[in-house]
């Protein structure tokens, strides 16, 4: 089960990435924890590099998310959903999290940047260009206005690798779905 990033009743999303010396044990521990109050959906992912992990959760209110973040065993950042593009449906075999941070908070710059990406995508569509394996891209802005996260859904890591031509990048990581819980 994967989240619905376009879920209208999710006021806030928490995203956290960290490195683990025992990823499987940590993922099992996170899956056994009950959902905190105000959490609508929580998922854990294992990076294809074998040591990095991802936390993604959706919350009813910023207050509930911040209460959880204050006591969370992993570092998480609060984001709000901005815009999504769903190209096709199908089984998601890989989630790619791309990060773009800027030095000074500038929410308008973040919106303009993502809007330009969508315009480029629409132009590519009009020209008949398709990215094989890309299912959807969901963009989030950090509440402090300094970070964009693209939560992209792919059919498998190989399709993303073929599109980028690289195995790893400091700007993005490929994650495999592991555990998910919902209310």
């Amino acid at each position: 089960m994967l989240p619905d990033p376009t879920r209208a009743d999710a006021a806030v999303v928490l995203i956290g990435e960290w490195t683990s010396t025992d990823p499987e044990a940590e993922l099992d521990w996170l899956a056994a924890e009950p959902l905190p109050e105000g959490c609508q959906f929580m998922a854990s992912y294992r990076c294809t590099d074998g040591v990095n992990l991802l936390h993604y959760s959706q919350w009813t209110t910023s207050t509930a998310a911040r209460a959880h973040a204050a006591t969370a065993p992993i570092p998480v950042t609060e984001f709000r959903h901005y815009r999504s593009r769903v190209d096709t449906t199908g089984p998601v075999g890989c989630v790619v999290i791309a990060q773009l941070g800027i030095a000074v908070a500038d929410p308008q710059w973040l919106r303009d940047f993502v809007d330009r990406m969508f315009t480029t995508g629409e132009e590519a569509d009009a020209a008949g260009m398709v990215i094989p394996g890309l299912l959807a891209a969901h963009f989030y802005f950090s509440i402090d206005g300094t970070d964009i996260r693209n939560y992209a859904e792919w059919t498998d890591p190989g399709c993303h690798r073929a599109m980028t031509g690289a195995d790893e990048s400091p700007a993005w990581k490929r994650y495999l779905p592991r555990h998910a819980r919902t209310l």
Side-chain angles (χ1 to χ4, degrees), residues 42-55:
M42 187 176 290
S44 302
Y45 304 84
R46 182 182 49 82
C47 187
T48 57
D49 70 8
V51 296
N52 286 295
L53 302 175
L54 172 76
H55 165 91

Side-chain angles (χ1 to χ4, degrees), residues 72-134:
I74 56 171
V76 292
T77 302
E78 187 176 341
F79 289 85
R80 292 208 182 355
H81 179 260
Y82 175 59
R83 197 167 174 185
S84 290
R85 176 185 171 119
V86 178
D87 291 328
T88 187
T89 59
V92 177
C94 174
V95 171
V96 175
I97 301 294
Q99 176 181 5
L100 173 65
I102 59 174
V104 178
D106 189 344
Q108 186 59 51
W109 185 91
L110 297 177
R111 283 189 296 277
D112 292 345
F113 178 83
V114 171
D115 290 344
R116 282 191 306 273
M117 290 181 66
F118 273 74
T119 298
T120 301
E122 291 163 1
E123 291 168 354
D125 287 347
M129 298 170 60
V130 176
I131 301 173
L134 178 63

